[in-house]
C-alpha cells in the first residue's frame, strides 16, 4: 500500500497534477490519500503509516519552508516512533513552490530528511519543483493554446521518474527542477501581471456583491 500525505497549505490553480501524474505511473497497487490537518483521525493515520510500503508527502513550500500543520504532523509521527510504533515504509517527497530558482525547496527537503533520520524512517527520494506558477501564467489566447497542447509540461517527466522510484520502493538522489525554457525575468513579469489581474477581478467582484446587497 502507498500512502499519500496531502500537505498543501494553499489551494493550487492546477491542483491534482501531482496526484494524476504520479498515481498514473504507480499502477494497480492500493493507494490511500490523507489530508494533513489539525483535526485528524490519528488511530487511522497510525494504522496506515504502519501498513504503508511507501509514504509520499506532497506539499507546497512558502519561502523555503513547509507549513506549520505539516511540521506539527511530523513531530507527532516522530513521537509515536519513539514510543515504539514501527514505520517500515520508505519516505518520498514532492515539494513545489511558485518561486523560480531551482533550489527554493532544498531547505524544506532538508527538514524532511532530518525528520526521517530522527524517526528512523528510510529516506527514498525527494523531488523539488520550482516555478510551479508557469502553468498558471500561460496565455489565455485560444489560438496559442491550440499549439501549446503539443508541448509537454516541464514537470511531467520528473513526476513520472519520481513515481517509478515510489512504485519500486527504491532510493535515489534528490532532484530539483525549474522551467528552464523560461527566463526568470519573463516568469516574474508574467506572474506579477497574473496577480494584478486576479486582484482587479476580486475588487470588481467585491464591489458587485456590495451593490447587490
Amino acid at each position: 500500500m502507498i500512502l499519500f500525505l496531502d500537505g498543501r497549505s494553499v489551494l493550487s490553480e492546477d491542483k491534482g497534477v501531482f496526484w494524476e501524474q504520479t498515481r498514473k505511473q504507480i499502477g494497480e497497487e492500493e493507494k490511500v490519500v490523507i489530508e494533513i490537518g489539525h483535526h485528524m483521525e490519528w488511530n487511522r493515520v497510525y494504522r496506515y503509516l504502519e501498513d504503508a510500503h511507501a509514504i509520499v508527502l506532497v506539499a507546497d513550500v512558502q519561502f523555503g519552508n513547509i507549513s506549520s500543520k505539516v511540521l506539527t504532523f511530523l513531530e507527532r509521527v516522530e513521537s509515536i516512533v519513539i514510543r515504539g510504533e514501527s514505520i517500515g515504509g520508505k519516505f518520498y517527497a514532492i515539494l513545489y513552490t511558485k518561486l523560480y530558482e531551482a533550489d527554493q525547496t532544498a531547505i524544506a527537503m532538508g527538514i524532511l530528511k532530518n525528520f526521517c533520520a530522527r524517526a528512523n524512517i528510510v529516506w527514498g527520494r525527494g523531488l523539488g519543483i520550482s516555478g510551479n506558477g508557469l502553468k498558471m501564467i500561460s496565455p489565455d489566447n485560444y489560438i496559442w493554446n491550440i499549439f501549446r497542447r503539443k508541448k509537454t509540461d516541464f514537470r511531467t517527466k520528473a513526476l513520472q521518474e519520481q513515481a517509478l522510484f515510489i512504485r519500486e520502493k527504491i532510493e535515489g538522489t534528490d532532484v530539483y527542477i525549474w522551467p528552464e525554457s523560461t527566463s526568470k525575468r519573463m516568469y516574474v513579469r508574467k506572474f506579477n501581471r497574473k496577480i494584478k489581474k486576479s486582484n482587479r477581478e476580486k475588487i470588481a467582484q467585491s464591489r458587485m456583491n456590495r451593490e447587490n446587497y
Side-chain angles (χ1 to χ4, degrees):
M1 183 264 282
I2 297 176
L3 175 63
F4 284 88
L5 301 172
D6 184 352
R8 292 174 297 180
S9 61
V10 295
L11 292 177
S12 172
E13 292 196 18
D14 59 351
K15 64 180 179 178
V17 64
F18 305 104
W19 309 112
E20 291 167 9
Q21 289 291 344
T22 308
R23 294 171 72 181
K24 188 191 305 179
Q25 299 297 321
I26 287 174
E28 299 302 319
E29 185 166 355
E30 181 186 2
K31 310 169 193 70
V32 174
V33 179
I34 290 180
E35 182 178 349
I36 295 177
H38 298 296
H39 304 287
M40 304 180 68
E41 297 179 34
W42 280 101
N43 288 334
R44 187 166 67 98
V45 174
Y46 294 156
R47 187 171 69 253
Y48 286 142
L49 287 170
E50 193 175 54
D51 294 343
H53 300 113
I55 302 164
V56 186
L57 172 66
V58 181
D60 57 312
V61 172
Q62 301 291 318
F63 300 105
N65 209 342
I66 46 183
S67 67
S68 59
K69 68 178 183 180
V70 173
L71 292 174
T72 300
F73 175 85
L74 297 178
E75 289 172 0
R76 178 138 185 182
V77 171
E78 185 180 341
S79 71
I80 70 167
V81 173
I82 292 174
R83 293 202 305 268
E85 301 288 342
S86 65
I87 297 178
K90 288 186 173 68
F91 195 98
Y92 300 86
I94 301 174
L95 302 180
Y96 58 96
T97 179
K98 290 179 181 177
L99 297 178
Y100 180 84
E101 292 80 7
D103 59 351
Q104 285 293 340
T105 56
I107 295 175
M109 201 73 74
I111 292 172
L112 296 179
K113 294 174 81 168
N114 287 335
F115 154 74
C116 286
R118 293 193 305 269
N120 197 29
I121 300 174
V122 177
W123 177 260
R125 187 178 187 255
L127 170 61
I129 303 173
S130 299
N132 191 55
L134 182 66
K135 189 171 183 179
M136 188 188 75
I137 64 176
S138 299
D140 297 324
N141 183 279
Y142 177 74
I143 299 298
W144 172 263
N145 282 331
I146 290 176
F147 295 101
R148 189 176 180 279
R149 286 173 190 165
K150 298 180 180 179
K151 295 181 66 176
T152 303
D153 189 322
F154 80 99
R155 300 166 296 186
T156 301
K157 182 179 178 181
L159 286 166
Q160 291 173 346
E161 290 176 347
Q162 184 74 345
L164 174 64
F165 278 84
I166 296 168
R167 187 182 70 205
E168 301 300 326
K169 285 83 174 177
I170 54 179
E171 301 166 41
T173 304
D174 301 336
V175 174
Y176 299 92
I177 65 168
W178 77 103
E180 298 177 72
S181 61
T182 304
S183 70
K184 179 179 179 180
R185 183 177 178 181
M186 181 184 299
Y187 178 83
V188 172
R189 185 167 66 244
K190 290 186 176 181
F191 189 73
N192 288 338
R193 192 182 304 152
K194 183 72 177 182
I195 290 176
K196 289 178 181 178
K197 179 181 177 182
S198 176
N199 288 338
R200 287 197 300 269
E201 290 173 350
K202 288 178 182 178
I203 292 172
Q205 184 63 46
S206 177
R207 287 175 177 170
M208 187 182 299
N209 291 339
R210 287 199 301 270
E211 290 172 0
N212 293 337
Y213 182 78

